[in-house]
């Protein structure tokens, strides 16, 4: 089958800077592994096409934004409004949708695989020559993420921000409607797949996974190091804030001596109010190309993130190394494959989280059991090979002529 793989601002690449990059490459590799002819179209990408991409894709098309002149009112919109919501409110502001339609008309795909909401908006409509049923590869809802982002920046991090082009209410309606327009939506979060299903929108959960990690040696068990693992983003800012403000005072009050580490790209100066605190209390590793140079089975990946906003790609990455994910029950709502006490630790609140950390760091038998359980979840759910049947099922559902969401999309034009 001929598939148009439509991306916004990033080309699929084996070099990942975040969960979105992992998902794009995962989708491309899975579709080609199933024998499909995949034509990649990337709108205004910030990265370059790699040899690995060109070898895997049937063709690669890069579309740049059309320049706007200062006398054009649209130039002022682009300068004055938040680019994330502006791209959703006015997807053809820079002519990207028109350019995608021209490429799609030449490729004539049987299906469009659109990465995130902006790509769905750029896909041709049913009346266009290049139209095809859309699979929406969904990472997170911006309407859920934006309030968390603002809260994580407020303490000590106030700064001017460009206003949004859409209110939260309008953003929610738009994002849900985009899922309804697609023939099928694959979600990085189990809870968000349920959210869509409750509204009659065909959707399923497909975890974000990277290249398969070799099985670690469990005889090299960690002494119980605690890692804040992840690159700079909203969730990591909020998690570090929660650790500093909610968890750390309890750790100090109980007199616990724990081994704290940071792993992942460091934020730019001033972007995270909690970062100076992290530098004082953690061993800072920064970005490490090969994670097995640092991580060991029985380490913990700590994610004190008390929200349910999208998937947590780091859960799968950590599990591959036999690292135990430790978070709140709320955090794990996105990933039903993990079970507290068997392959992860899920806390009710900050006090319970500290109890779990104390048990984890003091009990080598517990660390070994949880580490082996974490790797077992990885092998069952988080390798690209294990997910291929799920991709096949998604494609069958998207192409089914009786799909209610596809009927709505055709009716709306």
């Amino acid at each position: 089958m001929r598939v148009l793989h439509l991306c916004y601002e990033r080309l699929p690449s084996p070099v990942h800077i975040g969960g979105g990059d992992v998902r794009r490459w995962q989708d491309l590799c899975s579709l080609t592994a199933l024998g499909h002819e995949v034509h990649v179209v990337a709108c205004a990408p910030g990265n370059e096409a790699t040899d690995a991409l060109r070898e895997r894709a049937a063709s690669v098309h890069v579309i740049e934004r059309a320049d706007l002149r200062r006398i054009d009112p649209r130039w002022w919109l682009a300068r004055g409004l938040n680019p994330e919501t502006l791209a959703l409110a006015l997807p053809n502001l820079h002519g990207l949708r028109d350019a995608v339609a021209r490429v799609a008309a030449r490729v004539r795909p049987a299906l469009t695989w659109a990465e995130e909401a902006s790509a769905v908006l750029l896909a041709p409509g049913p009346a266009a020559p290049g139209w095809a049923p859309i699979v929406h590869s969904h990472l997170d809802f911006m309407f859920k993420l934006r309030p968390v982002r603002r809260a994580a920046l407020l303490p000590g991090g106030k700064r001017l921000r460009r206003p949004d082009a859409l209110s939260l209410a309008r953003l929610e309606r738009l994002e849900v409607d985009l899922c309804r327009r697609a023939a099928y939506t694959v979600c990085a979060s189990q809870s968000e797949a349920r959210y869509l299903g409750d509204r009659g929108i065909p959707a399923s959960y497909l975890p974000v996974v990277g290249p398969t990690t070799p099985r670690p040696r469990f005889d090299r068990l960690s002494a119980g190091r605690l890692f804040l693992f992840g690159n700079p983003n909203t969730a990591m800012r909020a998690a570090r804030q929660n650790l500093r403000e909610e968890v750390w005072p309890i750790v100090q009050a109980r007199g616990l001596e724990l081994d704290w580490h940071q792993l992942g790209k460091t934020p730019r100066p001033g972007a995270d109010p909690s970062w100076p605190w992290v530098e004082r209390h953690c061993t800072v590793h920064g970005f490490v190309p090969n994670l097995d140079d640092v991580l060991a089975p029985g380490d913990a990946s700590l994610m004190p993130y008390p929200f349910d906003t999208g998937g947590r790609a780091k859960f799968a990455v950590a599990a591959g190394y036999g690292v135990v994910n430790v978070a709140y029950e709320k955090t794990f709502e996105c990933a039903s494959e993990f079970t507290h006490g068997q392959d992860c630790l899920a806390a009710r609140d900050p006090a319970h989280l500290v109890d779990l950390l104390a048990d984890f760091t003091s009990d080598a038998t517990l660390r070994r059991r949880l580490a082996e359980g974490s790797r077992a979840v990885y092998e069952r759910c988080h390798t690209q090979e294990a997910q291929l049947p799920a991709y096949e099922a998604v494609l069958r559902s998207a192409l089914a002529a009786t799909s209610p969401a596809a009927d709505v999309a055709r009716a709306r034009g």
Side-chain angles (χ1 to χ4, degrees), residues 212-254:
T212 301
T213 304
R215 186 174 177 83
R217 289 185 54 181
F218 288 94
D219 57 339
R220 296 179 176 176
L221 192 69
S222 164
R225 297 178 299 173
L226 308 178
F227 279 86
L228 292 171
F229 168 41
N231 290 325
N233 58 24
T234 297
M236 285 307 299
R237 277 198 304 269
R240 288 191 284 256
Q241 179 179 324
N242 185 271
L243 176 63
R244 175 172 62 94
E245 297 180 358
E246 303 290 337
V247 177
W248 188 257
I250 302 172
V251 171
Q252 286 188 308
R254 297 188 186 180

Side-chain angles (χ1 to χ4, degrees), residues 18-91:
D21 279 347
V22 178
R23 174 63 113 192
R24 277 178 284 272
W25 190 248
Q26 166 190 340
D27 289 343
L28 174 63
C29 291
S30 298
L31 292 170
T32 54
L34 291 171
H36 299 295
E37 176 189 320
V38 182
H39 297 261
V40 173
V41 179
C43 296
N47 58 339
E48 300 290 332
T50 62
D51 290 341
L53 170 60
R54 297 193 183 280
E55 289 169 5
R56 189 170 290 272
S59 65
V60 178
H61 307 264
V62 173
I63 299 172
E64 299 296 349
R65 293 183 176 94
D67 290 334
L68 299 174
R69 300 175 65 188
R70 284 183 76 118
I71 60 173
D72 190 328
R74 296 175 299 171
W75 186 89
W76 295 97
L77 285 174
R79 293 279 293 178
L81 296 177
N82 185 300
E84 287 180 313
T85 51
L86 183 62
L88 297 177
L90 299 172

Side-chain angles (χ1 to χ4, degrees), residues 203-393:
S204 61
Y205 170 46
L206 199 59
V208 177
V209 304
T212 301
T213 304
R215 186 174 177 83
R217 289 185 54 181
F218 288 94
D219 57 339
R220 296 179 176 176
L221 192 69
S222 164
R225 297 178 299 173
L226 308 178
F227 279 86
L228 292 171
F229 168 41
N231 290 325
N233 58 24
T234 297
M236 285 307 299
R237 277 198 304 269
R240 288 191 284 256
Q241 179 179 324
N242 185 271
L243 176 63
R244 175 172 62 94
E245 297 180 358
E246 303 290 337
V247 177
W248 188 257
I250 302 172
V251 171
Q252 286 188 308
R254 297 188 186 180
L256 296 176
E257 295 292 334
L258 304 176
D259 190 6
W260 303 91
H261 293 255
Q262 179 276 339
L263 178 61
K265 288 184 178 179
T266 59
R268 66 182 185 276
D272 184 348
S274 297
W275 183 251
W277 179 91
V278 170
E279 291 181 308
R280 289 195 302 272
H281 294 97
C282 298
T283 299
V284 174
H285 299 270
F287 173 74
V288 177
N290 298 311
L291 293 177
D292 51 4
D293 289 342
V294 177
L295 296 175
D299 284 332
S301 175
L302 181 61
M303 189 62 182
Y305 183 64
F307 307 102
D308 176 28
T309 59
R312 303 269 73 84
K314 63 172 60 61
F315 283 172
V317 176
Y321 291 93
V323 172
V324 180
N325 289 292
V326 182
Y328 292 119
E329 292 174 352
K330 191 71 175 175
T331 325
F332 278 111
E333 286 183 7
C334 69
S336 61
E337 65 271 28
F338 289 97
T339 303
H340 170 67
Q342 295 184 22
D343 44 57
C344 73
L345 293 173
R348 297 182 299 272
D349 52 41
H352 187 213
L353 182 65
V354 175
D355 289 340
L356 295 176
L357 293 178
D359 292 342
F360 179 81
T361 55
S362 63
D363 188 339
T365 301
L366 174 65
R367 289 199 300 279
R368 174 71 179 257
R369 177 170 61 80
L370 290 173
E372 291 179 343
S374 184
R375 174 68 192 195
V377 171
Y378 175 82
E379 293 175 358
R380 187 171 67 249
C381 304
H382 293 152
T383 68
Q384 291 185 5
E385 297 82 0
Q387 290 191 347
L388 289 180
Y391 276 89
E392 287 185 319

